Amino acid sequence: MKMTIKTGDNVLVIAGKDKGKTGKVTAVYADKSKVLVEGINIVSKHHKARTQQEKSSIIKKSAPIDASNVQVICPVCGKATRVAHSEVAGKKVRSCKKCNGSLDKEFVKQTKKDAKKAIKAEELKGAKLKSAKAKTAEEKVEEKPVEKKTAAKKTTTTKTAAAKTAETKAAAKPATKTAKKVEEKAEETEVKAAPAKKTTAKASTAKAAEKTTTTAKKTTAKTATKAEGEKTTTKKSTTAKKETK
């Protein structure tokens, strides 16, 4: 199996426990499609002493990882990239997918100039696009204030309408309050008048009772005077009869 990664390449790990780390490829195992990278996938191995002079120890070293978990860092643009193939001076060369620069050290100088030109062209395109976007943004900003003014007018009209309605409500509230006060006063006067009527009724009944008592007294007095007159008359008659005898 052909490998696109070679010894001496700077590589970025894109998967696994060491994701995001970079290192240099020290060995390539094409049969297993694995790569050995410095400082990546460190494993501890226990070494047992075989003789009296040796000592048992734990050795830490980097173990191979799968080639699919690694991307080559382009020496021209400095970005991790997939590997493409192109011809330089009649030879097939590994190239960067992003800047078309050569990944092989022999042809880096030859492709570096072309790659720089391509990068500059892309930067110019990006600058033009940015300037165009900035212009469109400025035009939009210029158009927005007119809309804001119309919106401000609408808001002012709505505010004035709301203020008028609030004033009318405020004017209506005192009228309602006065009406309520008038009704309350009328109720109070009715309540006051009712006890007055009751007192007048009581006074009238008291006067009638007094009249009846006075009339009864007069009648009793008359009867008493009549009885006394009759007694005196009877006494006079008896005395006159005695005298005649």
Side-chain angles (χ1 to χ4, degrees):
M1 184 178 177
K2 287 185 179 180
M3 297 285 288
T4 55
I5 298 166
K6 294 182 179 181
T7 56
D9 288 341
N10 287 320
V11 152
L12 173 71
V13 180
I14 59 172
K17 65 178 182 179
D18 296 318
K19 183 179 178 181
K21 291 182 179 180
T22 58
K24 193 175 183 180
V25 177
T26 56
V28 175
Y29 305 100
D31 298 334
K32 298 177 182 179
S33 68
K34 288 193 175 183
V35 172
L36 189 68
V37 184
E38 286 181 356
I40 303 299
N41 194 23
I42 292 168
V43 178
S44 59
K45 294 286 183 181
H46 295 269
H47 177 70
K48 190 176 181 180
R50 300 299 172 96
T51 62
Q52 290 181 355
Q53 294 176 355
E54 289 181 2
K55 287 183 179 181
S56 299
S57 61
I58 298 169
I59 299 167
K60 291 185 177 182
K61 61 179 183 179
S62 57
I65 59 172
D66 199 87
S68 62
N69 294 339
V70 150
Q71 276 189 346
V72 181
I73 295 171
C74 177
V76 178
C77 64
K79 294 177 181 178
T81 180
R82 291 181 294 149
V83 177
H85 295 279
S86 60
E87 286 187 2
V88 177
K91 289 184 179 181
K92 194 175 181 180
V93 177
R94 295 182 303 154
S95 61
C96 176
K97 275 268 188 183
K98 294 181 178 178
C99 66
N100 296 322
S102 177
L103 299 174
D104 294 331
K105 290 179 182 179
E106 299 171 2
F107 303 97
V108 167
K109 287 182 181 179
Q110 292 180 10
T111 57
K112 212 166 190 177
K113 292 179 181 178
D114 298 332
K116 282 183 179 179
K117 286 179 181 178
I119 290 165
K120 283 181 180 179
E122 287 179 359
E123 287 178 354
L124 288 169
K125 284 182 182 178
K128 286 180 181 178
L129 289 169
K130 283 181 181 178
S131 63
K133 286 180 181 179
K135 285 181 181 178
T136 53
E138 286 177 356
E139 290 175 356
K140 285 180 181 178
V141 168
E142 287 178 356
E143 291 175 358
K144 279 181 181 178
V146 178
E147 294 177 356
K148 283 183 179 179
K149 285 181 181 178
T150 55
K153 286 182 180 178
K154 288 180 181 178
T155 52
T156 51
T157 53
T158 53
K159 283 180 180 179
T160 53
K164 286 181 180 179
T165 53
E167 288 177 357
T168 53
K169 286 179 180 179
K173 280 181 180 178
T176 54
K177 285 182 180 179
T178 53
K180 286 181 180 178
K181 287 181 179 179
V182 170
E183 290 177 356
E184 289 176 356
K185 285 182 179 179
E187 288 177 356
E188 289 178 358
T189 52
E190 288 177 357
V191 169
K192 288 179 181 179
K197 288 179 180 178
K198 287 181 181 178
T199 52
T200 52
K202 286 181 181 180
S204 61
T205 52
K207 286 180 180 179
E210 286 178 356
K211 284 181 181 179
T212 53
T213 52
T214 50
T215 52
K217 285 178 181 180
K218 286 179 181 180
T219 52
T220 52
K222 284 179 181 180
T223 52
T225 51
K226 283 180 181 180
E228 288 177 356
E230 288 176 354
K231 284 180 181 180
T232 51
T233 52
T234 53
K235 284 179 179 180
K236 286 178 180 180
S237 62
T238 53
T239 52
K241 285 179 180 179
K242 284 177 177 182
E243 289 175 353
T244 54
K245 286 179 179 181

